[in-house]
Amino acid sequence: MLRALTTRMLLLAAALAASVTAASAQCPDGAPPPCRGLAPVRRAAPPLNDNTWIVLPFENQSQSPEIEWLREASVNLLYLDLSQWQDIHVIDDERVADLMRDVPAPGGVQRLTQQSGSAVARRAGAGKLVMGDLLKVGSRTVLVAKVFDVRTGQRIRSVRQETSHPDSLMPSFSRLARAIVDAPPPAGAAGPVVGTTRLDAYREYVAGLTA
């Protein structure tokens, strides 16, 4: 009888050990191994800040291969010009590239709408969104930027620059950046006249010259 009891206890211990082993080998979702990769945890979007701006890649509307490189370059060029102003914060182009990886690309082509652009801006906490179009019309390259208030969805302004010379593209983006933040040069100005890195001070300067 003692031998039978001992055998029963050994069998019970073996069964318990097997169940523990099976439980430890089970995946977090209850499935057996091999376990699938866990879905990344997405952090909550920060609150919208009206002084935070984000520029998204411009769309090559004319599908011209000559200006396709400007699609990604538009973010970097405008970031460099807009970030000179200390009273606004501009999301850097590397962060924009990270955010754009989550934008759906049906058929392998990534197309931005105002709705998808606003969703990207909200994830970054940006209250101002800049989207744009690139067009190649003969020898002319046309840059069109649209500025949106992310909170209301309203378009604040649309601005445009164009050039017929490839060497003038970077200066065209600089002029476009000024128009985006509504900081045009004073009438009659022939060269750089910034002198300040604050938009409010610059606008007062321009108003004073105009008066």
Side-chain angles (χ1 to χ4, degrees):
M1 182 171 179
L2 181 59
R3 181 178 297 177
L5 182 59
T6 302
T7 302
R8 185 178 299 174
M9 292 179 64
L10 289 173
L11 291 174
L12 183 61
L16 181 61
S19 64
V20 170
T21 302
S24 63
Q26 194 176 49
C27 298
D29 61 357
C35 302
R36 293 173 297 179
L38 296 177
V41 178
R42 180 171 292 184
R43 292 176 295 179
L48 289 181
N49 186 330
D50 290 336
N51 290 325
T52 297
W53 292 61
I54 188 169
V55 180
L56 299 186
F58 281 25
E59 295 289 336
N60 182 1
Q61 296 291 358
S62 54
Q63 300 297 308
S64 170
E66 294 180 57
I67 59 172
E68 181 60 28
W69 66 277
L70 281 175
R71 186 177 188 277
E72 302 298 333
S74 59
V75 179
N76 175 260
L77 290 172
L78 287 177
Y79 165 73
L80 292 175
D81 280 298
L82 294 175
S83 60
Q84 70 174 305
W85 304 107
Q86 291 185 349
D87 44 349
I88 66 174
H89 170 66
V90 187
I91 304 296
D92 67 81
D93 49 329
E94 292 184 2
R95 174 61 175 150
V96 171
D98 288 340
L99 292 167
M100 288 296 296
R101 290 190 183 99
D102 292 334
V103 176
V109 179
Q110 194 176 56
R111 295 291 185 188
L112 281 173
T113 63
Q114 183 185 342
Q115 182 178 8
S116 59
S118 294
V120 173
R122 289 182 180 279
R123 287 184 55 201
K128 299 293 189 299
L129 166 65
V130 181
M131 302 178 66
D133 298 319
L134 306 166
L135 297 98
K136 186 72 174 175
V137 184
S139 62
R140 294 181 298 135
T141 300
V142 182
L143 317 174
V144 180
K146 294 161 283 188
V147 185
F148 297 95
D149 184 313
V150 177
R151 200 181 303 275
T152 64
Q154 296 297 311
R155 184 183 298 192
I156 300 173
R157 67 183 67 91
S158 294
V159 294
R160 169 190 175 116
Q161 287 289 325
E162 64 177 72
T163 179
S164 299
H165 304 287
D167 292 341
S168 299
L169 278 171
M170 291 184 66
S172 294
F173 271 100
S174 294
R175 292 191 293 271
L176 193 69
R178 282 182 175 275
I180 284 171
V181 292
D182 192 25
V193 291
V194 178
T196 181
T197 56
R198 290 190 59 86
L199 273 171
D200 50 2
Y202 178 77
R203 287 170 181 153
E204 289 179 5
Y205 164 73
V206 173
L209 287 182
T210 302

